[in-house]
Amino acid sequence: MNDGLLPAEILDRLKAQHAEPHRHYHTWTHIEALLAWLGKTIGQIHDPPAVELAILFHDAIYDPRAKDNEARSAALLLSELAGILPDSSLERAETLILATAGHRLPSTEDHILVSDCAFFLDMDLSIIGTDAATFESYEAAIRREYAFVPSDDYRTGRSAILRDFLERDRLYFTEYFHNRLDRQARLNLARSIARLKQT
């Protein structure tokens, strides 16, 4: 993707940010994975540029110790691209990025935006529906990003996050991702929660 969507210098800055040494999962590889999903689902996306912008910027700011990464990433999107891309696309991308804070769909009557957000959030969560080995590598990378957290605290916190997803009636909002990834995702989550209890 990104066939000229972003100026080269902005894209280079984004790639540099995703290469920060504390990142182990939230790297440019993650962005490329989501862009690949966008390519596969683009026929079902109403505003592909907005979704692509959200993919490119949603982890632009990533500090594992902070609680406002999503808001700061959305703000960076607006500051970097104001006057370069249409306000409407930027506003929609901002909403998508902010939705990653709780992985919940936005409360709006804009059904097109909600539909695009459903696909975007499912893309972002696709990693938990991968094969067992890929999921284990993901979990190990997340642990490295939170290496500063003591083991007991990490087990408690990570278990709560994974359990929140596992207990949802729907892990994936769209039929596209639900049909492809839900079963494996639930197996991965249950296995990881059980292991966290044992260690």
Side-chain angles (χ1 to χ4, degrees):
M1 307 298 289
N2 190 47
D3 47 353
L5 181 65
L6 294 185
E9 62 271 18
I10 293 178
L11 186 61
D12 287 344
R13 284 201 293 273
L14 280 175
K15 290 181 176 179
Q17 285 172 275
H18 283 82
E20 293 167 330
H22 63 273
R23 295 178 185 246
H24 299 278
Y25 170 69
H26 294 89
T27 65
W28 198 251
T29 299
H30 170 56
I31 302 303
E32 290 176 334
L34 270 61
L35 291 174
W37 279 116
L38 177 58
K40 294 175 184 177
T41 59
I42 199 162
Q44 301 179 66
I45 303 296
H46 297 88
D47 190 346
V51 175
E52 185 171 352
L53 287 172
I55 290 172
L56 293 171
F57 276 88
H58 78 285
D59 286 328
I61 305 296
Y62 183 69
D63 176 0
R65 299 174 186 268
K67 303 294 185 183
D68 60 348
N69 289 317
E70 298 84 4
R72 291 169 63 201
S73 293
L76 181 66
L77 163 83
L78 298 179
S79 65
E80 286 275 27
L81 298 176
I84 297 175
L85 294 176
D87 289 346
S88 58
S89 289
L90 296 182
E91 290 169 2
R92 296 172 83 81
E94 176 190 23
T95 299
L96 299 182
I97 292 171
L98 293 175
T100 63
H103 264 265
R104 304 284 184 182
L105 295 175
S107 298
T108 174
E109 295 184 3
D110 185 342
H111 301 300
I112 288 176
L113 178 60
V114 171
S115 176
D116 282 355
C117 190
F119 274 95
F120 169 61
L121 292 179
D122 284 358
M123 292 173 200
D124 196 34
L125 206 62
S126 62
I127 186 66
I128 69 170
T130 54
D131 62 89
T134 301
F135 179 79
E136 292 301 324
S137 295
Y138 155 72
E139 283 288 276
I142 294 296
R143 181 62 181 113
R144 289 197 297 275
E145 290 183 343
Y146 285 85
F148 60 91
V149 179
S151 295
D152 287 347
D153 293 341
Y154 182 81
R155 284 195 295 271
T156 299
R158 187 64 179 166
S159 293
I161 291 170
L162 298 182
R163 193 175 300 110
D164 175 71
F165 282 115
L166 184 59
E167 291 175 353
R168 293 186 182 191
D169 292 334
R170 293 275 299 207
L171 273 171
Y172 296 102
F173 297 108
T174 65
E175 290 300 319
Y176 181 93
F177 283 92
H178 174 78
N179 292 337
R180 287 165 173 78
L181 303 181
D182 181 84
R183 182 177 179 278
Q184 184 62 42
R186 292 185 182 279
L187 290 173
N188 288 337
L189 291 171
R191 187 176 61 254
S192 189
I193 291 168
R195 185 178 61 252
L196 286 165
K197 288 181 179 178
Q198 296 169 0
T199 55

